[in-house]
């Protein structure tokens, strides 16, 4: 059943997401629902014959939330926003900025009032200890009448979401963070209003000198300020998606009916010929048909050096042409392009939930009802027990302070933000480095990995044979020797022949016509060039020709896993070239870096043991398993896991699919547009193994950030609730003012988001 992603409007806290998720799960036809407060997205899998997005949205609308349901549209011919929605990027930055602007206006209007109320409150407190003179009667009466007016504005305008949270609780029995703030500040306001309106009637029963308008004003202002700062920070956490979206070219210069026409990128069709000029962005994926250039692929792969592109080479959307010009044929358009896949994958990963978040989610879901119970039990305790020692008036006053303080400080906002904000930043940072992370679970598992299993071909080595050495035993020049071998090999489809041909092309070595070309089964081939018969092949061919040849040097190369290609005439050996699947330059450093992280490296290969061990010794690999088939790789992974190892497998994502699936973390060494995004938990664009080290470091940094966030979020609540409740009052005389509770709650959310943003600055 397909999974749909929708943006959820109206969420203000972690308990909102828990509430919405619970409602969705109870709806008939819904198989799976996950609501993420960090990304403000709902991931829902449902049976379209039993329910639909409109019905789902209707179920939460009465609680003040709604699903943003995109309008259906053709795959192409969309606006940029519609295209973003089509790719699963439901977050509209314009809406976010409008929401933040509205919050800013309310916060800035509330701040002067809060400062005024804070001064009045501070004056009262300092006067009690004779630090400042007592306020004169006229001034006191002025404040006595102006504060209720200010508090009314703050509660009913700035505090409107919290009042709605209170109303929702009374009507539907659904409580969230807004409910806690709403009940707390409303109780403080109504108590103060009752004291103001019925001062003389209530004077014999309670202390009418204590009013809490300032608490209502300052608490709501602090929390509104915290929400504003949090919303601003959250925009920054998602900037990886925005930067990726900005990579998309808006237009393309195509050849239509022999003319150059500039069209919208959404109108590009498969097979269109597109002209790329110096300094322009490549609009879609394709293959070069004419010209050559160097292309800066750093935005997609993280590689800083521009890559040379020639005829038949692939180019991908979002990359930037440097100095040359070329024409390419569009092969992938719209959401088929590599950039579109990357954007979709990053967005889905940022919205996914890490296992470590389950604890925070469970706590957030039950936290609000428990806090409500604790708050009213505390009020009861003050009235019953406190009255015996302090008198009813003082006990009621302290009980109100404690009730409001607990409700305010206990909001689980920081707890709900702890994991998703770190995941959003971590996944985004990975994408910028060319590390695509499929989901948060993979990112969490990766930091526990202690064994990395790597495939040799394409992971440790380049996966493409290249000519690495020339041994000339004749009077011919090296270029002449290569020319003869390449002329003979040009008709062969063998990868070794392709390596020799590539070398000849790179060096601009002339290739001659060959006649009487004949293949010799299992040994090589022969042909006539300029009337001379030449043979090219392996040592068996030399033996068949009964030519004397010192093979010591040849054996040395063979032991290193390299392949010799020998050129002879009927009379003598002219020389040989060495073809090898070269080790990637970054492999040795990557293995050394993995060792520094305490990770063992195991190489699996289908090659013979001597070759494999030679390569392993060159780059410092710990263990080698040779002559393995794909199913043997799977067995080896299982064997390592049975020994208690946490295994990451790095392979090409196709031949290694069974082993990648079995490993705790599967890592695909993706190259170009053939990147196997779906085959593994992590894809390293460009196939650079050094990115594997960066991915593990990123996982460790992100998990450290999550644990720090959860620690501080728990500490705020664990220490704050007993302090606000007055538990320490009988011992130390401590009672936390709701004002400081509001400040602590606001700052807890801001500190958690800020700590997550620190991940951006960390060096991988």
């Amino acid at each position: 059943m397909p999974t749909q992603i929708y943006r959820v409007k109206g969420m203000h806290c972690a308990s909102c997401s828990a509430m919405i998720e619970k409602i969705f799960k109870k709806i008939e036809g819904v198989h799976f629902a996950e609501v993420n407060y960090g990304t403000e997205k709902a991931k829902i899998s449902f049976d379209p014959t039993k329910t639909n997005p409109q019905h789902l949205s209707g179920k939460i609308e009465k609680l003040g939330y709604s699903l943003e349901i995109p309008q259906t549209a053709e795959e192409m011919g969309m606006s940029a926003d519609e295209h973003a929605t089509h790719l699963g990027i439901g977050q509209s930055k314009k809406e976010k900025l409008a929401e933040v602007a509205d919050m800013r206006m309310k916060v800035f209007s509330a701040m002067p009032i809060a400062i005024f109320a804070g001064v009045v409150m501070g004056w009262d407190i300092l006067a009690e200890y004779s630090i400042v003179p007592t306020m004169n009667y006229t001034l006191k009466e002025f404040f006595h009448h102006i504060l209720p007016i200010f508090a009314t504005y703050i509660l009913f305008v700035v505090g409107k979401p919290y009042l709605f949270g209170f109303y929702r609780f009374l009507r539907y029995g659904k409580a969230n963070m807004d409910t806690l703030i709403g009940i707390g500040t409303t109780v403080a306001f109504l108590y103060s209003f009752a004291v103001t309106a019925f001062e003389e009637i209530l004077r014999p029963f309670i202390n009418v000198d204590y009013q809490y308008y300032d608490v209502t004003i300052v608490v709501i202002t602090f929390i509104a300020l915290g929400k504003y700062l949090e919303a601003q920070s959250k925009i920054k956490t998602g900037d990886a998606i925005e930067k990726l979206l900005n990579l998309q070219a808006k237009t393309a210069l195509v050849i239509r009916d022999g003319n150059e026409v500039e069209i919208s990128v959404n109108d590009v069709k498969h097979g269109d010929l597109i002209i790329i000029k110096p300094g322009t962005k490549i609009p879609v994926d394709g293959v070069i048909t004419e010209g050559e250039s160097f292309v800066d692929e750093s935005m997609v792969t993280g590689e800083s050096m521009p890559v040379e592109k020639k005829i038949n080479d692939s180019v991908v959307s979002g990359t930037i042409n440097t100095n040359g010009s070329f024409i390419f044929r569009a092969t992938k358009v719209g959401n088929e392009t590599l950039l579109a896949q990357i954007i979709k994958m990053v967005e889905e990963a940022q919205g996914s939930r890490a296992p470590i978040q389950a604890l925070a989610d469970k706590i957030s879901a039950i936290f609000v009802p428990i806090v409500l119970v604790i708050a009213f039990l505390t009020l009861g305790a003050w009235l019953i027990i406190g009255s015996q020692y302090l008198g009813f008036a003082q006990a009621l006053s302290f009980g109100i302070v404690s009730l409001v303080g607990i409700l305010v400080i206990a909001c689980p906002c920081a707890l709900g933000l702890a994991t998703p904000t770190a995941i959003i930043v971590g996944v985004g940072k990975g994408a910028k480095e060319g590390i695509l992370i499929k989901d948060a679970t993979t990112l969490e598992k990766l930091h526990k990995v202690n064994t990395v299993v790597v495939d040799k071909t394409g992971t440790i080595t380049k996966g493409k044979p290249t000519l690495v050495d020339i041994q000339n035993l004749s009077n011919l020049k090296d270029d002449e020797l290569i020319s003869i071998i390449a002329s003979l090999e040009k008709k062969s489809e063998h990868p070794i022949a392709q390596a020799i041909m590539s070398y000849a092309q790179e060096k601009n070595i002339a290739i001659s016509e060959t006649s009487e070309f004949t293949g010799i089964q299992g040994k090589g081939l022969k042909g006539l060039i300029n009337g001379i018969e030449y043979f090219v092949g392996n040592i068996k061919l030399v033996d068949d020709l009964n030519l004397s040849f010192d093979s010591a040097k040849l054996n040395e190369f063979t032991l290193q896993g390299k392949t010799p290609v020998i050129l002879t005439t009927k009379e003598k050996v002219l020389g040989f070239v060495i073809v090898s699947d070269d080790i990637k330059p970054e492999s040795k450093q990557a293995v050394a870096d993995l060792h520094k992280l305490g990770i063992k490296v195991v190489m699996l290969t289908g090659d013979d043991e001597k070759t494999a061990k030679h390569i392993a010794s060159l780059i410092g690999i710990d263990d080698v398993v040779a002559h393995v088939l794909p199913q043997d790789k799977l067995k080896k992974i299982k064997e390592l896991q049975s020994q208690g190892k946490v295994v990451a497998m790095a392979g090409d994502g196709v031949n290694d699919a069974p082993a990648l699936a079995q490993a705790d973390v599967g890592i695909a060494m993706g190259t170009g547009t053939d990147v196997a995004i779906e085959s593994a938990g992590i894809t390293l664009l460009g196939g650079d193994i050094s990115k594997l080290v960066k991915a593990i470091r990123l996982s460790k940094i992100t998990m450290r950030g999550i644990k720090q966030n959860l620690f501080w979020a728990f500490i705020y609540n664990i220490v704050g609730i007993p302090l606000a409740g007055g538990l320490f009052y009988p011992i130390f005389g401590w009672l936390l003012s709701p004002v400081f509770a509001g400040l602590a709650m606001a700052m807890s959310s801001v500190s958690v988001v800020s700590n997550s943003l620190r991940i951006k600055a960390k060096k991988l």
Side-chain angles (χ1 to χ4, degrees):
M1 194 151 295
T3 300
Q4 304 292 329
I5 296 173
Y6 302 98
R7 185 175 166 222
V8 184
K9 290 184 175 180
M11 281 205 295
H12 297 107
C13 66
S15 44
C16 292
S17 59
M19 187 196 305
I20 295 165
E21 190 174 299
K22 197 179 285 183
I23 290 167
F24 284 156
K25 284 178 176 175
K26 287 180 181 173
I27 296 170
E28 189 187 356
V30 172
H31 296 269
F32 168 83
E34 187 177 277
V35 181
N36 189 314
Y37 170 50
T39 55
E40 296 175 11
K41 300 281 170 61
K43 198 184 283 188
I44 313 167
S45 174
F46 58 87
D47 183 345
T49 62
K50 293 182 179 174
T51 187
N52 58 52
Q54 288 77 14
H55 177 242
L56 295 169
S57 186
K59 287 287 186 181
I60 59 173
E61 277 169 12
K62 63 184 180 183
L63 299 174
Y65 312 110
S66 64
L67 291 183
E68 191 175 87
I69 303 160
Q71 298 300 308
T72 55
E74 289 299 317
E75 189 175 338
M76 287 298 154
M78 303 180 189
S79 70
D81 280 349
E82 287 171 329
H83 191 56
T85 303
H86 179 70
L87 294 174
I89 302 129
Q91 188 169 2
S92 160
K93 195 172 182 195
K94 194 187 289 181
E95 282 185 17
K96 263 283 170 228
L97 290 172
E99 187 184 331
V100 169
D102 180 59
M103 292 169 84
R104 181 169 55 242
M105 187 194 73
K106 286 179 178 171
V107 167
F108 284 2
S109 70
M111 284 301 285
I113 298 172
I115 291 165
F116 174 78
V119 168
V120 175
M121 183 169 53
W123 194 336
D124 277 343
I125 293 166
L126 294 172
E128 271 186 46
Y129 296 99
S130 304
I131 296 169
V132 297
T134 307
M135 210 179 291
N136 68 51
Y137 178 78
T138 308
L139 205 54
K140 196 164 190 175
E141 279 299 298
F142 171 71
F143 291 148
H144 187 70
H145 289 93
I146 198 78
L147 281 176
I149 298 167
F150 285 160
T152 303
Y153 168 76
I154 296 292
L155 181 63
F156 290 95
V157 177
V158 182
K160 191 177 174 183
Y162 312 120
L163 283 178
F164 185 75
F166 190 6
Y167 163 77
R168 181 169 47 213
F169 174 65
L170 293 175
R171 175 144 187 210
Y172 302 108
K174 303 286 184 185
N176 66 353
M177 169 235 161
D178 292 349
T179 309
L180 299 182
I181 304 299
I183 293 173
T185 52
T186 305
V187 166
F189 178 84
L190 292 176
Y191 173 83
S192 304
F193 185 78
V195 167
T196 305
F198 309 106
E199 187 173 337
E200 295 309 317
I201 298 169
L202 295 172
R203 190 177 290 279
F205 308 105
I206 62 174
N207 188 344
V208 293
D209 292 331
Y210 284 101
Q211 296 166 16
Y212 300 109
Y213 292 120
D214 47 11
V215 166
T216 301
I217 292 166
V218 179
V219 164
I220 288 177
T221 303
F222 271 149
I223 289 165
L225 175 64
K227 287 309 227 178
Y228 166 64
L229 295 173
E230 177 194 309
Q232 274 200 318
S233 299
K234 274 174 73 179
I235 287 175
K236 289 177 190 169
T237 63
D239 68 356
I241 286 283
E242 188 191 351
K243 283 180 181 170
L244 286 169
L245 278 169
N246 287 340
L247 294 181
Q248 293 178 315
K250 303 291 183 286
T251 60
L253 190 63
V254 301
I255 299 172
R256 293 265 169 96
D257 302 323
N259 299 316
E260 292 183 16
V261 186
E262 189 167 10
I263 61 170
S264 165
V265 70
N266 298 323
D267 296 329
V268 175
K269 303 282 189 287
H270 292 107
D272 272 345
L273 288 174
I274 299 168
I275 299 166
I276 298 295
K277 295 182 177 178
T280 56
K281 278 183 186 175
I282 292 166
V284 295
D285 294 3
V287 177
I288 294 176
T289 58
E290 187 181 317
E292 57 184 48
S293 183
F294 283 84
V295 175
D296 179 357
E297 297 186 333
S298 60
M299 299 295 192
V300 175
T301 66
E303 299 297 334
S304 57
M305 288 292 289
V307 180
E308 187 179 4
K309 298 289 181 180
K310 307 183 294 291
I311 292 171
N312 294 328
D313 283 347
S314 298
V315 289
V316 298
S317 61
T319 56
I320 300 169
N321 183 33
T322 55
N323 49 12
S325 297
F326 58 87
I327 297 172
F328 76 95
R329 187 180 301 281
T331 56
K332 291 181 181 177
V333 298
N335 66 338
E336 303 166 344
T337 67
L338 177 65
L339 182 60
Q341 287 182 63
I342 291 170
I343 292 168
K344 189 162 188 252
M345 187 176 180
V346 171
E347 197 270 345
E348 285 183 0
Q350 288 184 336
S352 64
R353 191 175 293 177
I356 197 170
Q357 194 177 336
L359 174 66
D361 285 347
K362 281 178 185 170
I363 291 168
S364 291
I366 60 169
F367 202 63
V368 174
I370 288 171
V371 167
L372 283 169
V373 171
I374 291 171
F376 284 101
L377 285 177
T378 302
L379 175 61
W382 274 109
L383 293 176
I384 296 164
I385 302 165
S387 297
Q388 297 174 29
Y389 300 97
L390 304 169
F392 180 77
Q394 186 74 4
L396 177 61
S397 180
F398 282 0
I400 296 287
V401 168
S402 296
L403 172 81
V404 177
I406 289 172
L407 292 176
V408 169
I409 204 167
C411 295
C413 241
L415 202 57
L417 287 167
T419 304
T421 51
I423 293 291
I424 289 166
V425 176
V427 168
K429 186 174 176 69
K432 287 178 191 170
E433 297 276 354
I435 301 162
L436 299 187
I437 298 157
K438 198 169 192 179
D439 52 39
T441 304
T442 301
L443 189 62
E444 182 174 334
K445 278 184 189 171
L446 191 58
H447 90 288
K448 297 177 183 172
V449 164
N450 52 28
T451 304
V452 169
V453 175
V454 292
D455 181 43
K456 179 181 80 72
T457 308
T459 304
I460 296 297
T461 63
K462 291 176 181 174
K464 183 180 173 185
T466 51
L467 195 154
V468 295
D469 202 351
I470 301 167
Q471 297 289 316
N472 194 340
L473 308 175
S474 70
N475 296 322
L476 296 169
K477 290 178 182 174
D478 285 358
D479 282 5
E480 291 173 329
L481 192 79
I482 297 294
S483 174
I484 296 165
I485 298 173
S487 300
L488 290 165
E489 292 279 14
K490 72 177 179 182
K491 294 185 180 178
S492 171
E493 294 297 319
H494 196 280
I496 288 173
Q498 298 300 312
I500 294 166
M501 289 301 297
S502 295
Y503 182 86
Q505 285 168 1
E506 279 174 26
K507 301 290 182 183
N508 292 318
I509 295 170
I511 295 172
S512 307
E513 282 300 315
T514 308
S515 58
E516 297 184 27
F517 178 88
T518 310
I520 305 164
Q521 185 70 37
K523 295 169 187 175
L525 47 88
K526 66 177 180 176
L528 282 177
I529 299 172
N530 297 327
I532 302 171
E533 188 176 39
Y534 292 100
F535 297 81
V536 65
N538 56 25
I539 192 70
K540 290 177 188 171
L541 184 66
V542 176
D543 291 342
D544 282 0
L545 293 168
N546 292 317
L547 299 174
S548 61
F549 175 56
D550 181 6
S551 60
K553 189 77 173 170
L554 198 74
N555 293 338
E556 190 182 311
F557 285 115
T558 308
L559 286 170
Q560 292 173 11
K562 295 175 180 178
T563 305
V565 178
I566 309 164
L567 176 67
T568 79
T569 60
K570 278 188 177 175
E571 294 79 28
K572 61 177 180 177
V573 174
L574 301 175
F576 57 91
V577 294
I578 299 298
V579 175
S580 170
D581 182 5
D582 239 10
I583 294 169
K584 289 181 179 178
E586 64 271 13
S587 293
K588 188 171 183 178
Q589 187 58 49
V591 171
D593 288 340
L594 287 170
H595 286 153
K596 282 178 192 169
L597 292 169
I599 295 168
K600 182 182 177 184
V601 184
V602 179
M603 185 172 80
L604 302 185
T605 178
D607 282 354
D608 69 90
E609 197 166 348
K610 280 182 183 176
T611 303
K613 284 193 170 172
H614 174 73
I615 288 170
S617 68
L618 290 177
I619 59 172
I621 282 173
D622 302 295
D623 192 12
V624 174
V625 184
H627 298 297
V628 289
L629 298 169
Q631 59 266 35
D632 298 326
K633 291 181 183 180
L634 181 65
K635 281 180 198 166
K636 184 63 182 177
I637 300 286
K638 285 182 176 176
E639 182 190 316
L640 288 165
Q641 287 171 328
S642 69
Q643 294 165 13
K645 304 273 199 264
V646 182
V647 181
M649 164 77 186
D652 62 13
V654 182
N655 300 333
D656 302 314
L660 286 169
Q662 177 62 38
D664 296 286
V665 179
I667 299 163
M669 308 296 289
T671 51
T673 51
D674 298 322
V675 54
I677 285 177
E678 291 304 318
S679 69
I682 290 177
T683 302
L684 306 179
L685 293 175
D688 183 350
I689 193 173
S690 64
K691 286 180 185 167
L692 170 55
V693 182
K694 286 184 175 182
I696 293 169
R697 283 186 189 137
L698 176 65
S699 172
K700 289 180 184 292
I701 290 166
T702 306
M703 290 311 299
R704 199 180 306 129
I706 289 171
K707 286 170 183 173
Q708 288 165 352
N709 287 349
L710 289 171
F711 171 77
W712 287 112
F714 276 120
I715 286 293
Y716 274 115
N717 290 321
I718 290 165
V719 173
I721 290 174
L723 188 58
L727 192 66
F728 302 109
Y729 183 79
I731 309 163
F732 305 109
W734 296 349
L735 190 61
L736 185 69
S737 164
V739 169
F740 293 109
L743 179 63
M745 202 290 288
M747 289 305 104
S748 67
S749 294
V750 174
S751 64
V752 159
V753 177
S754 301
N755 191 49
S756 295
L757 286 170
R758 285 174 60 238
I759 295 168
K760 276 186 180 182
K762 298 281 185 184
K763 193 172 184 297
L764 296 182

